Amino acid sequence: MRKSDEPIIEFKNFTFQYKSQSEPSLFDINLRIYPGEKILIAGPSGSGKSTLSNCINALIPQAYEGTITGTLTVDGKNPAKEGIFGMSKSVGTVLQDTDGQFIGLTVGEDLAFALENDAVEQDEMKRRVAEVADVVDVQKLLDHAPNELSGGQKQRVSLGGVLVDNVRILLFDEPLANLDPATGKKTIALIDDIMKVKDVTVVIIEHRVEDVLYRDVDRIIVVNEGRIAADMKPDDLLAGNILNEQGIREPLYVTAVKYAGCTIDPKDKPQHIETMNIAPYREKLRAWFEKAPAPDRTNNNPPVLEIKDLKFSYTPDEPTLRGISLTLRKGEMVSLVGRNGAGKSTLAALICGFLKPDSGTILLDGEDISPLSIKERGEKIGFVMQSPNQMISKPMIIDEVGLGLSVRGFPAEEVRKRSEDVLRICGLYPMRNWPVSALSFGQKKRVTIASILVMNPELIILDEPTAGQDFRHYREIMEFLRDINRKTGVTILMITHDMHLMLEYTDRAIVITNGQLICDDTPARVLTNDAIVDEADLKRTSLHDLAVKCGIEEPSEFVDRFIEYERSKFAKEGRSSE
């Protein structure tokens, strides 16, 4: 709701070109944001949305030089003249990587940092820190070190650190990227609650549109190729096809209604599944459900990995894993999910040999692997980190892919042949003699996976394979992994917070919370089970709510048929584009 006729942020005929680039990243932007509004800026990677935010907080042009034409006014100031420090009094930025924002040794010190810079009297400083700590609900954490906090707690402290300065604009850069689904919901709810008690304008940059729409936003601004492709109210935007056209994922329930052949009317309020009027679409949705094929995802292959009663503690009397038992079969694609700190990464580290269990057994192809070193396990089990930059150590693609074979003493000719064979499978053969630095993030991800595949592993474990990726790059990476799975029969285990990845690309979901395995079932049944969702801090799929509103007795069947339909649809589109 507007509190003023004068915009608090205004771009007029604004164009920006980075110093190192030959073309502008923003073209002729005209945009007004008013006091008290909550705005979502969405767009694919490289669309210009982060450039837009960096102009607002003066990182452009102070930290990132370039040429500006047109004008930008933020809270009555010109960011290019005020600089980062000057704009920090009006704009508080919460980064995607919260660790990059911490300054103090404790939460209390971190919250007080901006006030100390302004030489605020100590009594006033304590009062304002206590006030902000209450707003973001970290009163009990003031004496804690930031590195002791969970992802959600870090997000709250980062938010408090900018609120303490009484800023008028809160700018969030991909606030959900590193959070589990339930913590993401709490973050969106917290932003909404703050707007009720603080006179602030909120700008959220995020490609996960459905997650942000957990609470109302006033407008969604879609950016692509440096231009504003849409500036609309959520109900109007979701009723059309702009998000799909711009390579941004729609809310799943909206997509399902469209799959059923329905045209959504903005008057039916599609911004939230809870309040959307489903009555005009119910019969078509039920008819579509009846006709949609049910998936067959049985896997009777022999086990490749068996874990029996695995226990591990970092410190005595504080168990991290409490007797985990599970089996992975050859050729499966399985997701490992649960809240931050549940024990997922610890389990992966134990499988790879980075840690040694307190007790329990890990079998690979029926053989106990406890005597194997990390190097020996690496020949059978591959681990792909979240960031490819953490794994790449050679400047040239062909050398990076063959590195694992080279260090094991394989002849140079065999190293080259196996590397080239894997690069063909991965679609990277034409680039084999390129420098790694010339690749995009997604291509680097493929190189790291190729460097694992060249070892002919039995199992590949991937940590958050699509974190921070827009819909197009997400689909590129996941279709690539599915193709690898089909061509080689390798078993793939993915640690993920992405509930749609879990639904769309894996046939089993293993759920861990508080170090215990609480569920091992199909993704659809996991995400339609309220008890499991709540216990593991997952997010119930909106397809469940849509099925319930349509009177479908088994919501998990509706979810399964939606996913099967979508898999077939994208497979046909992929074949037609080849």
Side-chain angles (χ1 to χ4, degrees):
M1 183 181 294
R2 293 186 185 181
K3 299 180 181 178
S4 167
D5 290 331
E6 291 298 317
I8 193 168
I9 300 171
E10 184 172 20
F11 291 84
K12 283 184 180 178
N13 304 319
F14 187 90
T15 296
F16 174 75
Q17 181 174 330
Y18 287 101
K19 186 177 180 180
S20 59
Q21 294 188 348
S22 59
E23 293 287 332
S25 293
L26 296 176
F27 296 87
D28 198 28
I29 301 294
N30 286 283
L31 172 64
R32 290 182 169 191
I33 297 173
Y34 293 88
E37 280 193 306
K38 187 203 290 182
I39 302 295
L40 167 60
I41 299 179
S45 295
S47 62
K49 59 185 187 299
S50 292
T51 301
L52 207 63
S53 75
N54 289 340
C55 292
I56 293 171
N57 61 20
L59 281 172
I60 291 174
Q62 187 165 338
Y64 306 109
E65 295 181 11
T67 304
I68 292 173
T69 59
T71 62
L72 168 60
T73 306
V74 179
D75 196 21
K77 306 168 187 173
N78 179 351
K81 290 183 178 179
E82 293 288 330
I84 296 170
F85 180 75
M87 291 313 300
S88 70
K89 302 301 175 185
S90 296
V91 182
T93 305
V94 179
L95 300 174
Q96 175 180 335
D97 178 12
T98 50
D99 288 332
Q101 285 195 251
F102 292 125
I103 301 295
L105 297 177
T106 67
V107 169
E109 287 180 16
D110 206 78
L111 293 179
F113 180 72
L115 302 178
E116 288 178 328
N117 279 341
D118 292 339
V120 172
E121 291 289 337
Q122 195 167 60
D123 289 344
E124 173 66 7
M125 188 186 303
K126 289 180 178 178
R127 186 192 67 77
R128 284 169 65 177
V129 166
E131 179 186 279
V132 165
D134 186 58
V135 170
V136 297
D137 194 22
V138 295
Q139 309 94 317
K140 297 178 181 177
L141 302 174
L142 292 176
D143 294 328
H144 286 59
N147 62 7
E148 296 174 355
L149 307 181
S150 69
Q153 289 169 333
K154 287 178 179 179
Q155 200 88 343
R156 288 173 178 267
V157 174
S158 294
L159 182 51
V162 295
L163 279 174
V164 77
D165 223 9
N166 291 324
V167 293
R168 297 192 64 203
I169 299 162
L170 291 176
L171 186 60
F172 294 88
D173 182 12
E174 301 276 6
L176 307 179
N178 299 315
L179 302 179
D180 63 54
T183 304
K185 284 180 68 174
K186 290 173 185 172
T187 297
I188 295 300
L190 175 64
I191 294 169
D192 203 59
D193 292 342
I194 284 170
M195 292 192 73
K196 294 172 183 174
V197 297
K198 291 275 187 179
D199 183 19
V200 291
T201 303
V202 167
V203 178
I204 302 172
I205 296 163
E206 180 64 67
H207 62 266
R208 291 161 59 174
V209 171
E210 180 173 347
D211 292 335
V212 176
L213 292 181
Y214 173 58
R215 294 288 177 90
D216 285 349
V217 303
D218 294 295
R219 288 185 285 148
I220 300 176
I221 295 164
V222 179
V223 181
N224 201 0
E225 296 182 349
R227 304 178 190 275
I228 293 178
D231 181 352
M232 303 170 72
K233 293 180 179 178
D235 289 330
D236 295 325
L237 184 72
L238 296 178
N241 201 38
I242 290 173
L243 292 180
N244 267 333
E245 291 169 353
Q246 302 299 326
I248 305 165
R249 179 179 289 287
E250 294 176 319
L252 292 185
Y253 61 92
V254 169
T255 302
V257 173
K258 292 178 181 178
Y259 282 170
C262 304
T263 300
I264 297 175
D265 189 328
K267 293 178 183 175
D268 290 318
K269 303 295 181 187
Q271 180 172 186
H272 308 293
I273 182 59
E274 294 84 1
T275 53
M276 182 178 177
N277 177 22
I278 295 299
Y281 319 108
R282 186 176 290 118
E283 291 309 313
K284 278 192 174 182
L285 276 161
R286 289 181 63 89
W288 175 84
F289 166 68
E290 295 296 336
K291 291 179 182 177
D296 179 12
R297 300 180 187 172
T298 56
N299 184 312
N300 297 316
N301 291 337
V304 65
L305 184 80
E306 297 169 89
I307 296 175
K308 299 180 179 180
D309 198 25
L310 199 67
K311 296 177 182 176
F312 176 79
S313 301
Y314 288 101
T315 56
D317 303 322
E318 291 185 28
T320 303
L321 295 181
R322 308 163 186 259
I324 299 288
S325 297
L326 61 89
T327 298
L328 300 181
R329 296 186 178 276
K330 184 172 177 58
E332 282 192 299
M333 287 183 72
V334 180
S335 49
L336 180 61
V337 299
R339 66 166 67 101
N340 290 346
K344 306 184 297 297
S345 296
T346 299
L347 178 59
L350 289 163
I351 294 170
C352 294
F354 306 148
L355 299 172
K356 291 188 179 297
D358 298 336
S359 62
T361 308
I362 303 175
L363 304 177
L364 188 71
D365 292 329
E367 298 289 329
D368 185 355
I369 62 172
S370 59
L372 300 184
S373 66
I374 294 174
K375 180 182 174 183
E376 290 169 326
R377 292 193 200 195
E379 296 171 6
K380 300 172 183 291
I381 300 169
F383 182 73
V384 180
M385 294 178 169
Q386 183 171 327
S387 170
N389 296 323
Q390 293 176 291
M391 297 183 65
I392 292 171
S393 55
K394 291 286 185 179
M396 306 303 290
I397 291 174
I398 190 77
D399 296 331
E400 177 63 32
V401 172
L403 181 60
L405 297 175
S406 296
V407 299
R408 286 168 173 82
F410 282 79
E413 188 56 36
E414 184 177 352
V415 171
R416 175 163 287 276
K417 183 181 183 306
R418 284 175 60 172
S419 298
E420 289 180 347
D421 288 345
V422 165
L423 286 167
R424 285 188 182 95
I425 292 173
C426 297
L428 293 168
Y429 183 76
M431 307 173 190
R432 62 194 180 282
N433 295 317
W434 286 21
V436 176
S437 59
L439 301 182
S440 68
F441 184 92
Q443 289 169 331
K444 286 180 182 177
K445 198 93 170 180
R446 289 189 183 205
V447 169
T448 61
I449 294 168
S451 68
I452 298 295
L453 277 175
V454 79
M455 305 297 298
N456 295 323
E458 298 278 339
L459 168 68
I460 297 179
I461 302 172
L462 298 107
D463 185 12
E464 294 288 359
T466 59
Q469 298 297 296
D470 65 22
F471 187 37
R472 180 171 68 85
H473 290 98
Y474 154 90
R475 187 162 293 287
E476 281 180 2
I477 290 171
M478 292 312 303
E479 288 296 331
F480 165 67
L481 287 171
R482 178 185 281 171
D483 193 46
I484 292 296
N485 170 255
R486 287 171 176 164
K487 286 178 178 176
T488 68
V490 67
T491 303
I492 295 177
L493 176 66
M494 288 177 280
I495 303 170
T496 185
H497 288 316
D498 188 329
M499 297 296 94
H500 193 269
L501 180 158
M502 169 181 160
L503 278 171
E504 187 177 9
Y505 286 98
T506 64
D507 296 323
R508 280 173 59 204
I510 295 167
V511 186
I512 293 180
T513 188
N514 296 325
Q516 295 179 301
L517 194 156
I518 63 168
C519 189
D520 182 348
D521 207 337
T522 68
R525 282 199 284 266
V526 168
L527 294 186
T528 54
N529 184 322
D530 285 344
I532 296 297
V533 165
D534 290 344
E535 189 174 354
D537 278 357
L538 305 179
K539 178 177 177 285
R540 189 176 71 193
T541 174
S542 59
L543 296 170
H544 169 279
D545 299 333
L546 179 62
V548 170
K549 294 185 83 164
C550 288
I552 293 169
E553 292 183 5
E554 291 292 338
S556 64
E557 286 188 21
F558 180 86
V559 177
D560 268 333
R561 294 187 187 196
F562 172 90
I563 295 300
E564 186 67 15
Y565 179 89
E566 192 163 75
R567 283 184 179 184
S568 300
K569 178 177 181 290
F570 286 119
K572 289 176 184 175
E573 290 175 357
R575 285 195 294 271
S576 66
S577 65
E578 290 175 356

